[in-house]
Amino acid sequence: MRIDLSGANLAGCDLRQANLEGANLLDANLSHANLSGAFIAHANLSEANLCQAILTGAVLSRANLCEAD
């Protein structure tokens, strides 16, 4: 299942251990979000704001981070 969160404001959200595999997070605001242990493989994070996001243990294999901040 692919989740479309393009342009979503997820700033400061607790997304620990979230399964976001293949999600569309184009231009999403994930600043200060806690993504520890999240599974974000194959996701589209292009142009996403990841400033000060916590990514400890997150799986980002094959994620598109083109122009992500």
Side-chain angles (χ1 to χ4, degrees):
M1 175 168 72
R2 300 207 179 229
I3 301 166
D4 185 5
L5 295 169
S6 54
N9 183 4
L10 301 169
C13 285
D14 184 355
L15 298 168
R16 289 176 286 179
Q17 305 295 319
N19 182 354
L20 296 169
E21 181 179 11
N24 182 10
L25 292 155
L26 169 74
D27 197 34
N29 182 1
L30 292 158
S31 63
H32 301 276
N34 187 346
L35 293 155
S36 321
F39 191 70
I40 318 170
H42 305 280
N44 180 12
L45 290 155
S46 53
E47 300 180 33
N49 180 353
L50 294 164
C51 290
Q52 296 186 11
I54 301 168
L55 296 164
T56 307
V59 176
L60 292 158
S61 59
R62 300 197 184 243
N64 179 356
L65 295 162
C66 182
E67 296 187 38
D69 189 15

